Amino acid sequence: MDNDKSYKEYLENITTFIFDVDGVLTDGTITVTTNGEMLRRMNIKDGFALKTAVDQGFNVCIISGGSNEGVRKRLRGLGITDIYLGAHHKVDQLDEYLDIYNIKPEQVLYMGDDIPDLPVMKIIGLPCCPQDAVPEIKAVSKYISHKNGGKGAVRDVIEQVLKVHGKWNKNFDAKHD
């Protein structure tokens, strides 16, 4: 991507990750069972990166229009406590979250993939998206991952930020030295 230098300048200021779910943490497909339950698939490598970010002291928040409680359970299992599901006006949840934790918008990396993410992405410091995001989201993103949603895009951005901060695999490297 041509903007490599510009987006990399933001990485050291990032203290907070905020992610959408469908199309970012998942590939955007839903399997509907015969009883109407909607199943999603999440990438285990994205999960590892999310847990690592939490363990290394970064703020991690989820803001999603979806309201699947299975998603909440999975994310809580990774140590994420700030989970806004059923969010149809995501800026409201963003404002609340930033206010609660006294976070400045320029400290936030947000990854979204579709039109409902657009208002939030225009506010925060580092708007990002998966490779398969819609054109409107790509147009406002300072970084477009080479990975698709649900296929490692979340891991991609978390790993880059944590490496800049010297916190990627910190606990694992120490055990093998």
Side-chain angles (χ1 to χ4, degrees):
M1 168 168 190
D2 293 340
N3 292 335
D4 274 358
K5 288 184 183 177
S6 63
Y7 91 86
K8 287 186 177 183
E9 293 171 12
Y10 295 89
L11 298 181
E12 69 181 42
N13 296 324
I14 299 302
T15 63
T16 304
F17 297 100
I18 303 178
F19 297 101
D20 177 34
V21 174
D22 292 318
V24 173
L25 284 167
T26 75
D27 65 5
T29 61
I30 298 172
T31 301
V32 182
T33 66
T34 55
N35 66 357
E37 185 179 5
M38 292 185 269
L39 306 175
R40 292 159 172 84
R41 292 171 38 135
M42 292 186 172
N43 186 297
I44 201 78
K45 291 176 183 159
D46 286 344
F48 173 79
L50 286 163
K51 180 158 183 22
T52 301
V54 169
D55 290 349
Q56 291 297 325
F58 285 80
N59 303 309
V60 180
C61 176
I62 304 299
I63 303 177
S64 175
S67 56
N68 183 293
E69 288 303 313
V71 168
R72 184 186 311 274
K73 185 175 182 179
R74 164 71 175 145
L75 296 171
R76 284 210 189 280
L78 297 173
I80 301 168
T81 57
D82 296 291
I83 303 167
Y84 297 91
L85 300 181
H88 299 293
H89 302 285
K90 294 182 178 190
V91 171
D92 294 341
Q93 285 77 21
L94 173 72
D95 288 343
E96 177 181 312
Y97 180 74
L98 297 182
D99 188 51
I100 289 170
Y101 294 100
N102 196 26
I103 299 166
K104 295 176 183 161
E106 57 268 21
Q107 296 173 299
V108 176
L109 179 155
Y110 181 94
M111 182 173 269
D113 72 307
D114 209 346
I115 301 300
D117 300 305
L118 202 52
V120 169
M121 294 178 75
K122 290 180 176 180
I123 296 171
I124 52 89
L126 184 52
C128 301
C129 69
Q131 178 62 42
D132 58 346
V134 299
E136 295 87 347
I137 295 299
K138 287 182 173 182
V140 300
S141 292
K142 290 180 180 165
Y143 176 70
I144 300 170
S145 176
H146 62 285
K147 302 278 189 174
N148 285 344
K151 304 289 185 186
V154 169
R155 165 87 174 242
D156 175 30
V157 294
I158 291 175
E159 187 173 331
Q160 287 189 60
V161 171
L162 269 61
K163 282 181 176 177
V164 165
H165 287 260
K167 295 187 174 186
W168 180 251
N169 278 342
K170 187 175 180 180
N171 292 340
F172 297 100
D173 289 343
K175 292 177 183 173
H176 294 98
D177 284 347

